[in-house]
Amino acid sequence: MSNIRAIAHVHSEWSYDARWPLPRIARMARMMGCGVVLMSEHDRGFTETKWLDYREACRDSSIAGTVLIPGIEYSDPSNTVHILVWGSDHFLGEGLETTRLLEEVQRAGAVSVFAHPERRAAWQLPDLRWLNKITGIEVWNRKTDGFAPSQNAISLLKRQSVIPFVGMDFHRAKHLFPLFTRIQLTEEVTEKAVVNAIRRGECHPEALGLGLSKFESGMVFKSLAQAERSRKWLMRCFQ
């Protein structure tokens, strides 16, 4: 059994708001010791044809030791709830209502993760009944949450029997941060093998080389939360 380091929630130039080409992302991931990159392009502007072209581009851009797994970050009609999806052969649609999207995910045999619940306070929407259909919850998103995990997302996770995820939400170099996922594989690293491992829960998030549980409370969390408050204060000062 191999223990593969992965980075999740990564955008390339195939997303409207990112610029890095896929080959550059593959090289970056290999330098970081990652054997898997879970890509997550925005659904805006995608079609079935573009999705098939993108899947081929991910295959062509994968390099020895690092595999790019194609994925989409699907947005609901209000652009509040975002769902990361991996493992679908088809593009599921742009701007779908979340319950319908997750039904399509299940039909496709794919896996799904509730992305950055803290963004637009999506975690406190009045109707979250679809949570029982997802595979995981992104409890720490570098772009939205900064230097500390979302306590609201962690609380949400504890109410659901789903997998904790961490994601860079990478769009540009400033979003680099040591948030990784360890995926346990008993076979060759392929899209199917990675998706099946995630579905079985054979993946574990880590940050700064430690398990996620080290950051959920206590002095470590308080220190990181203070660092994030300081970062936001400095950003406001220089705006």
Side-chain angles (χ1 to χ4, degrees), residues 41-128:
E41 311 294 357
H42 292 296
D43 61 352
R44 185 195 297 183
F46 261 83
T47 62
E48 179 67 10
T49 298
K50 184 175 179 179
W51 169 244
L52 295 176
D53 290 342
Y54 174 68
R55 287 178 60 82
E56 184 176 354
C58 284
R59 286 193 295 270
D60 292 343
S61 300
S62 295
I63 55 180
T66 301
V67 176
L68 303 184
I69 306 297
I72 294 288
E73 180 177 1
Y74 290 94
S75 308
D76 71 354
S78 68
N79 194 28
T80 302
V81 175
H82 289 196
I83 304 292
L84 311 176
V85 176
W86 300 288
S88 174
D89 290 335
H90 303 286
F91 179 64
L92 303 180
E94 183 178 345
L96 295 180
E97 188 272 328
T98 303
T99 299
R100 181 185 167 195
L101 168 67
L102 293 174
E103 290 170 353
E104 294 295 331
V105 169
Q106 290 181 332
R107 274 192 282 270
V111 294
S112 56
V113 172
F114 181 15
H116 41 55
E118 201 70 42
R119 178 183 173 274
R120 295 193 177 187
W123 66 274
Q124 60 181 355
L125 287 174
D127 186 2
L128 293 176

Side-chain angles (χ1 to χ4, degrees), residues 21-40:
L22 291 169
R24 184 180 181 187
I25 288 172
R27 292 193 299 270
M28 171 195 73
R30 184 167 63 179
M31 290 177 62
M32 298 172 70
C34 294
V36 168
V37 183
L38 292 164
M39 302 297 301
S40 306

